[in-house]
Amino acid sequence: MCATCGCGHGEVRIEGVTHDTDHFKSFRPAAHAPDVSPARMVQIEQDILSKNNDLAGANRKYFSMRGIFALNMVSSPGSGKTTLLVRTITDLKGKLPVAVIEGDQETSNDAERIRATGAAAVQINTGRGCHLDAHMVMGALEQLKPAPASVLFIENVGNLVCPAAFDLGEAARVALFSVTEGEDKPLKYPDIFASADLVLINKIDLLPHLSYDMAKAEANVRRVNPRARIMTVSATSGEGLAEWYQWLSDPAARAAA
Amino acid sequence: MHEMSLCEGIISVLEAEAKKQNFARVKTVWLEVGPFSGAEPEAMKFCFDAVTRGTLAENARLEIVTPTGQGFCGTCMKTVTIAERYDPCPVCGAVLLQITGGEQLRIKELEVV
């Protein structure tokens, strides 16, 4: 019945974690309370996401104790998240320790692409689920054990709607969209862009073949999120990546607006 | 379709509350779903019926309260009502309002036995 831990159909699978481990057991719903008295009203004022938020808080503590810089990478499918990560890991090899958590509904293709670069990666298959949540990330961390002071990329399921609501404990959220997707993506999916700290506009090497209005795209990002940093990049040609690498490796560069 | 996991979140809150406040079944759930919460009230209702089956909230009624979206206009220096996250101030037309309401996704109240 649970899309979050996956007991039942469309199961969540984390590489190396079986369903008998404590990670999954701890999330099974508790037994029901015993029968009692007549109808009454109960005020609770509880955030539905409170459980996820608590677990995200625990992940955040895990990261800060180890000096890990965790990023939640969100985008639609096909905007180039994995290509960008493969390029980033290759270019930063020997300069910055990197680990990756890959989220997809099915297959471990993306984790394999990352592991081919030599970086550690764990795949989460969400099964029925359309997003990663803090509990899944916690399970993946047990397997991955990212090195202290590393950068951890958490590549969310390609989806511009659902991941917006789920804090994973990341230090920053990076939203990616590509120039083949249309300038109005931020207006169509405002929640995800409003929650981003950095917006990467990818595939700019294709601009000569498109009638893409970059100024309009950036203005649309600004409309939903005035504080996000915007960078234009091409994971294929490498254009614009120097700024992205500086942002990744230098906290001072991130602090500067 | 993250409304499914949101509804599962509701069940886990209800189960925790059932222990704490000593009730066995939930008859009605009042839920606040803001226009900027990223959740769709109709989808919530659909998923709620599906995920409550076999739980302490089986056959419970789901009442959804929709608060208005609100933003603070730095030009007018006051809070205004808006329909979309990126709407300009309806009074002065300024853009980039600070969102102050409408992101709620909260269980307000329960009727329990």
Side-chain angles (χ1 to χ4, degrees):
Chain A
M1 64 153 285
C2 172
T4 311
C5 101
C7 28
H9 302 293
E11 293 190 341
V12 174
R13 293 180 301 278
I14 301 173
E15 283 178 313
V17 180
T18 69
H19 255 243
D20 294 328
T21 60
D22 289 343
H23 172 73
F24 284 109
K25 278 182 188 160
S26 67
F27 209 65
R28 296 262 159 86
H32 303 162
D35 284 339
V36 269
S37 60
R40 64 193 157 104
M41 302 301 290
V42 178
Q43 305 276 340
I44 62 171
E45 293 281 349
Q46 260 228 53
D47 201 310
I48 298 173
L49 289 164
S50 56
K51 186 159 192 175
N52 183 74
N53 293 343
D54 290 347
L55 295 170
N59 288 347
R60 193 163 277 120
K61 196 170 163 195
Y62 177 102
F63 297 138
S64 79
M65 280 170 64
R66 291 164 179 79
I68 294 168
F69 180 50
L71 296 171
N72 182 359
M73 311 279 295
V74 293
S75 84
S76 51
S79 60
K81 285 191 298 298
T82 313
T83 304
L84 177 74
L85 289 187
V86 166
R87 172 87 190 224
T88 300
I89 294 164
T90 308
D91 287 352
L92 296 181
K93 196 167 269 181
K95 294 176 196 154
L96 200 62
V98 169
V100 180
I101 295 173
E102 280 288 342
D104 278 301
Q105 193 179 11
E106 292 297 340
T107 83
S108 55
N109 294 354
D110 281 359
E112 281 155 21
R113 280 174 71 188
I114 299 293
R115 283 194 284 255
T117 67
V122 165
Q123 179 80 46
I124 300 174
N125 285 135
T126 55
R128 219 157 45 102
C130 45
H131 57 269
L132 293 180
D133 64 35
H135 185 250
M136 297 177 196
V137 169
M138 192 176 270
L141 287 173
E142 287 170 20
Q143 291 304 307
L144 188 61
K145 296 186 175 64
S150 60
V151 174
L152 174 67
F153 295 102
I154 306 168
E155 187 180 329
N156 218 314
V157 178
N159 176 346
L160 283 174
V161 183
C162 310
F166 295 84
D167 183 8
L168 305 179
E170 70 268 19
R173 196 173 282 194
V174 180
L176 188 75
F177 74 117
S178 63
V179 296
T180 52
E181 294 176 63
E183 302 92 344
D184 57 353
K185 268 275 150 89
L187 302 184
K188 287 177 171 170
Y189 302 95
D191 296 333
I192 208 119
F193 285 96
S195 69
D197 299 288
L198 171 64
V199 174
L200 294 177
I201 304 179
N202 191 26
K203 306 191 188 179
I204 56 169
D205 55 300
L206 297 177
L207 282 174
H209 312 287
L210 305 166
S211 55
Y212 190 80
D213 186 341
M214 186 59 83
K216 198 164 143 193
E218 293 189 13
N220 287 340
V221 174
R222 289 271 161 262
R223 261 181 91 181
V224 297
N225 187 339
R227 69 179 175 89
R229 184 89 171 259
I230 302 173
M231 294 179 197
T232 56
V233 299
S234 165
T236 307
S237 74
E239 198 179 341
L241 290 180
E243 192 185 2
W244 159 239
Y245 295 156
Q246 201 194 1
W247 186 91
L248 280 177
S249 47
D250 181 5
R254 292 197 285 275
Chain B
M1 208 46 178
H2 68 303
E3 283 80 1
M4 196 62 100
S5 24
L6 293 176
C7 286
E8 278 152 359
I10 295 176
I11 302 293
S12 77
V13 170
L14 297 183
E15 283 173 342
E17 287 295 314
K19 271 193 202 160
K20 232 190 297 177
Q21 309 218 34
N22 198 34
F23 56 83
R25 295 197 62 78
V26 178
K27 294 180 73 177
T28 315
V29 176
W30 279 269
L31 201 64
E32 208 177 17
V33 180
F36 313 141
S37 67
E40 198 50 55
E42 279 311 310
M44 288 297 285
K45 283 182 192 162
F46 178 82
C47 296
F48 184 79
D49 286 341
V51 306
T52 51
R53 246 169 259 154
T55 73
L56 77 173
E58 185 157 12
N59 298 321
R61 206 155 46 94
L62 181 65
E63 293 284 341
I64 294 181
V65 184
T66 318
T68 56
Q70 294 195 312
F72 182 78
C73 175
T75 311
C76 301
M77 296 303 282
K78 63 179 178 191
T79 300
V80 293
T81 299
I82 47 175
E84 299 290 344
R85 200 182 264 284
Y86 48 80
D87 275 354
C89 171
V91 180
C92 74
V95 292
L96 308 182
L97 306 184
Q98 178 77 37
I99 302 295
T100 54
E103 293 181 321
Q104 302 93 324
L105 199 55
R106 204 158 43 190
I107 307 172
K108 295 285 288 177
E109 207 174 12
L110 306 174
E111 185 190 13
V112 301
V113 284

